[in-house]
């Protein structure tokens, strides 16, 4: 029985070191949320400000490769599935984009 526990510990450690365990947990959470999500329930209406804030959060999540977290944000918030145009965001926020790395400041 100790061999099984040791194998589990080594497997968990290996998956954590490779970054796979966190990815799997995030994927499972997103899939569970999608399975439990009631699509017949209307999404909240978004104010203009919340639409922009959510879009910035989505951009941050996608930039950092948090795609499952982003999918939950979109589903829960009622944010449009298609991202807002980046130039539209820049205009609305009175910001400008650094051309060398596409960051908004």
């Amino acid at each position: 029985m100790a061999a099984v526990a040791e194998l589990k510990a080594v497997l968990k450690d290996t998956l954590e070191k490779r970054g796979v365990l966190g990815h799997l947990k995030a994927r499972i959470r997103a899939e569970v949320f999608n399975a439990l999500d009631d699509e017949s329930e209307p999404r909240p209406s978004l104010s203009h400000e919340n639409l922009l804030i959510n879009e910035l959060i989505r951009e941050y999540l996608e930039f950092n490769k948090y795609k499952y977290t982003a999918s939950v944000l979109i589903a829960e918030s009622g944010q449009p599935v298609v991202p807002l145009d980046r130039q539209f965001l820049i205009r609305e926020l009175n910001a400008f984009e650094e051309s060398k790395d596409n960051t908004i400041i």
Side-chain angles (χ1 to χ4, degrees), residues 43-46 54 72-79:
R43 297 290 174 234
S45 60
L46 291 173
N54 287 347
V72 172
L73 170 73
I74 293 165
E76 278 191 310
S77 68
Q79 190 77 4

Side-chain angles (χ1 to χ4, degrees), residues 22-38:
H23 176 76
L24 289 172
K25 286 179 180 180
R27 172 91 192 240
I28 289 169
R29 276 188 219 104
E31 291 300 328
V32 167
F33 177 81
N34 286 337
L36 296 175
D37 188 30
D38 183 4

Side-chain angles (χ1 to χ4, degrees), residues 17-83:
K17 286 180 182 174
R18 292 183 181 175
V20 174
L21 191 58
H23 176 76
L24 289 172
K25 286 179 180 180
R27 172 91 192 240
I28 289 169
R29 276 188 219 104
E31 291 300 328
V32 167
F33 177 81
N34 286 337
L36 296 175
D37 188 30
D38 183 4
E39 292 185 18
S40 66
E41 185 177 316
R43 297 290 174 234
S45 60
L46 291 173
S47 68
H48 182 72
E49 292 80 13
N50 283 350
L51 180 73
L52 294 175
I53 291 167
N54 287 347
E55 194 61 35
L56 291 172
I57 294 169
R58 179 197 344 222
E59 186 167 314
Y60 164 80
L61 294 172
E62 290 178 356
F63 176 83
N64 287 290
K65 310 284 190 267
Y66 301 142
K67 59 184 176 180
Y68 300 112
T69 306
S71 71
V72 172
L73 170 73
I74 293 165
E76 278 191 310
S77 68
Q79 190 77 4
V81 176
V82 177

